[in-house]
Amino acid sequence: MRLFMVAGEPSGDRLGAALIRGLKELAGEPLELHGIGGPLMQAEGMQSLFPMEELSVMGLTEILPRLRSLLARVNQTADEVVAQRPHALITIDSPEFSLRVAAKVKARLEHMPTIHYVAPTVWAWRPKRAAKMAKSIDHVLALLPFEPPYMQAVGMSCDFVGHPVTTEPVASEHAAAAFRARHGIADLAPLILALPGSRRSEVDRLTPVFGETLRKVKAEHPGARVVVPTTGAVAATLSDRLADWPGDPLILDPRDQSGEAFLAEKRAAFAAADAALAASGTVSLELAANAVPMVIAYDFSWLTRKMIGAMLRVDTVTLVNLVSDTRAVPEFLGPNCRADLIAPSLSRILDESQARTDQLDAMAATMLRLGRGGEDPGLRAARSVLSVL
């Protein structure tokens, strides 16, 4: 079976790798994999056409300066799909890029099945995206249980497959204690994860706010330590941006070790953490899977902020809040992405048991609704893909 898969960022790389593992188990024949992906998909046997990191941009003003090069990559990718003539094209999130590829491929290979993994958030903003997407996508794999009807209403088939984060390994208490000991972090010292994003534009915009927030929190909790897990795409940028952060933050850099060793260290950090300050995105689910109470903060450029604000249809963008149908996780978006507003909320999580309990309950509900305890989402996704081939 020959497949062409396209992922544009680390979260998509994780989804793609889980799907590949599921297909290997269920397909009943060898897989020939082409496309674009990160280290996890490549570890499963896919050769990437070009580095996935080239596609990790977000927001209107972030995309515009690179539009010409991105459109050239769209054309290159579509041409490669046509040349390979796979049994299906599977695009994973990153709609600004992947759906353009799908449209060009569908125009030239009308009968090729096109599958998109991660339903667009039409329930949150820009509801007409689903109808536009249906012109080039046949089938959708949804991460959230309430999404299939939105896709089916405009003519696409859609299956809820759950989220692989529910089955990813969680470090033990022993590993968490060993992490603290290894890095000289006292057992009772508050440990805060700082996660300012996986894109350079996010890191540039959020690190000053995160740094000032942590400075205020450390004034109330002087023994607190900060750990910053990162990705290879932004590690160098992040090292520069953290020079003026308080308390000599510990950066977990994947460039310093093997992929598996880095993942083990990252899991141990999550298990050891007391709280997290994170950019909006799927990282909230990763934190929820590890039961780490969090505060979400995010900002766009002024123009992107205005456009999204005018189209937003929900009062929260944090997936834990949406899936659990609570508002347990505090979020500070756009004009509210300010240290003087964020810091008290982060301190409250460190200090107040009720705030922590509310989040832990919401996280447990989120994991249950996303499939924890059920069949592996990678297998469910694979079964859904095979059903339309």
Side-chain angles (χ1 to χ4, degrees), residues 141-153:
L141 310 180
L143 301 183
L144 306 179
F146 52 80
E147 291 179 319
Y150 292 95
M151 305 299 107
Q152 294 160 351

Side-chain angles (χ1 to χ4, degrees), residues 321-382:
N321 289 341
L322 289 163
V323 177
S324 67
D325 196 23
T326 71
R327 298 299 180 263
V329 177
E331 61 182 23
F332 299 87
L333 310 176
N336 292 324
C337 185
R338 295 168 20 199
D340 61 315
L341 299 178
I342 302 168
S345 189
L346 185 56
S347 290
R348 190 174 304 117
I349 289 174
L350 292 172
D351 294 334
E352 294 184 14
S353 59
Q354 189 58 52
R356 298 180 64 83
T357 299
D358 290 345
Q359 282 211 35
L360 293 172
D361 289 345
M363 292 174 187
T366 297
M367 291 299 104
L368 185 63
R369 292 174 186 178
L370 291 183
R372 177 171 279 176
E375 185 179 33
D376 186 298
L379 285 172
R380 294 175 66 174

Side-chain angles (χ1 to χ4, degrees), residues 93-116:
D93 213 0
S94 302
E96 294 87 354
F97 181 85
S98 60
L99 295 183
R100 284 184 169 88
V101 171
K104 287 183 175 292
V105 169
K106 202 67 168 175
R108 296 163 68 180
L109 299 174
E110 181 181 358
H111 299 295
M112 176 183 289
T114 50
I115 300 164
H116 190 65

